[in-house]
Amino acid sequence: MGSTQDKPQLMINGKRLDGRGPADLRSIKIEPNVVKNAAGSAYIEWGKNKIIAAVHGPKEALPKHFADPERAIIKCRYMMAPFSSLEEHGRTGPNRRSIEISKVTKEVFENVVMLELFPNTEIDIFVEVLQGDGGTRAAGITAAAVAMALSGIPMTDIPYAVSAGKIGDTVVLDMDKLEDNYSDADMPVAVKPLDNEILLLQMDGSFTKEQLKQAISMITDAGKAIREVQEKAIRKPYEQIIEKYQK
Ligand code: CDP
């Protein structure tokens, strides 16, 4: 959230600067299997965000003392490329924010991946932001879910994530970077769509109880559209194989 001084007008006649209404998502496209050496991968364009997610494993957990004889462990590395935004990312390597986002992403997947099927192993999730425009942790989780599904590692459900925020007193879905800079609240949420269980909820700023309800219902409504894009990407490689053999 940015300072309220010099705040640009982010909503004009109920429309946001990019023409969206409060409950509208940016456009989302997902391309499956873009990294040859990964077990599963996906490239997502979510508005101006461009992100690659790749899943490796399950493979022997290293170092060995990290291995859990009962289940697989998940490691996650979220990173923004140095050229991904106007802000400086010149010094490569993890920073406080990337460590936090890696941790919350890992926790989302610990709650859906059937870890007990792969004792003593590790599953690695990589999220690389090539271009960032607000909401990258949500877009990264959404893409990583597709990468995980394509890897064939069983999950109890395919999670998605999106954030809701507040521009003045208006609850809005899926803020871009400019909106995020001047918003009054930002709440990324990851959801398990089968039962709408919340796998991640972070909040910057505050919502009233009513606003929170509205935000959650905007998120779960949008979840249906996000899920469709995810499913289309997961089906694509299989449809291509079927098409090839039908020729
Ligand atoms: O991306 P997300 O909204 O999950 O995380 P954030 O920490 O709330 O950051 C919002 C946006 O600010 C990011 O999506 C980036 O576009 C930008 N950002 C950046 O470019 N460099 C940073 N060090 C932090 C944020």
Side-chain angles (χ1 to χ4, degrees):
M1 288 190 302
S3 92
T4 42
Q5 285 157 5
D6 308 323
K7 195 170 169 170
Q9 202 183 344
L10 294 173
M11 292 206 59
I12 302 165
N13 298 329
K15 291 269 179 223
R16 296 150 77 176
L17 297 184
D18 59 6
R20 284 186 290 154
D24 293 342
L25 278 171
R26 288 174 279 182
S27 78
I28 305 174
K29 280 188 268 176
I30 304 178
E31 187 59 35
N33 289 341
V34 289
V35 179
K36 184 171 163 275
N37 295 323
S41 63
Y43 168 68
I44 191 165
E45 284 187 5
W46 181 315
K48 294 197 183 89
N49 289 314
K50 296 182 177 177
I51 300 169
I52 290 185
V55 168
H56 287 252
K59 57 189 189 191
E60 185 187 2
L62 287 173
K64 271 204 163 128
H65 64 266
F66 277 0
D68 183 334
E70 304 280 319
R71 59 185 67 79
I73 55 167
I74 294 190
K75 292 183 187 168
C76 178
R77 194 190 89 147
Y78 162 103
M79 202 68 94
M80 289 188 96
F83 50 78
S84 61
S85 72
L86 288 176
E87 285 166 45
E88 208 214 328
H89 296 282
R91 280 175 296 160
T92 50
N95 53 40
R96 209 165 67 158
R97 176 177 170 275
S98 75
I99 292 167
E100 174 214 320
I101 298 179
S102 302
K103 176 180 181 289
V104 298
T105 302
K106 164 183 141 93
E107 286 169 358
V108 166
F109 286 93
E110 281 173 344
N111 283 294
V112 288
V113 173
M114 297 169 82
L115 299 172
E116 62 286 357
L117 297 178
F118 307 102
N120 289 311
T121 68
E122 69 177 65
I123 296 165
D124 299 335
I125 302 170
F126 297 96
V127 175
E128 291 285 326
V129 180
L130 306 177
Q131 186 166 287
D133 189 38
T136 59
R137 80 191 64 198
I141 290 167
T142 302
V146 172
M148 189 67 75
L150 288 166
S151 77
I153 296 170
M155 288 185 281
T156 53
D157 198 0
I158 300 165
Y160 69 86
V162 60
S163 74
K166 230 168 68 177
I167 297 177
D169 275 333
T170 310
V171 178
V172 294
L173 188 75
D174 185 23
M175 291 187 299
D176 65 20
K177 172 88 175 94
L178 180 72
E179 291 178 323
D180 186 38
N181 278 356
Y182 297 100
S183 69
D184 297 282
D186 179 20
M187 179 176 74
V189 176
V191 182
K192 194 172 155 220
L194 273 180
D195 54 5
N196 281 340
E197 185 187 336
I198 290 177
L199 302 170
L200 159 73
L201 190 150
Q202 296 183 282
M203 198 188 290
D204 193 1
S206 65
F207 288 90
T208 65
K209 205 171 162 187
E210 263 322 297
Q211 288 169 338
L212 186 62
K213 273 193 195 160
Q214 203 188 338
I216 295 288
S217 86
M218 270 184 189
I219 287 169
T220 49
D221 280 350
K224 292 167 198 139
I226 301 170
R227 174 61 180 248
E228 262 177 42
V229 182
Q230 287 177 307
E231 275 183 14
K232 197 172 154 206
I234 295 164
R235 270 203 217 102
K236 192 172 168 184
Y238 300 99
E239 285 170 352
Q240 283 171 337
I241 293 170
I242 293 167
E243 235 171 69
K244 199 172 140 195
Y245 284 101
Q246 277 173 346
K247 271 185 194 157

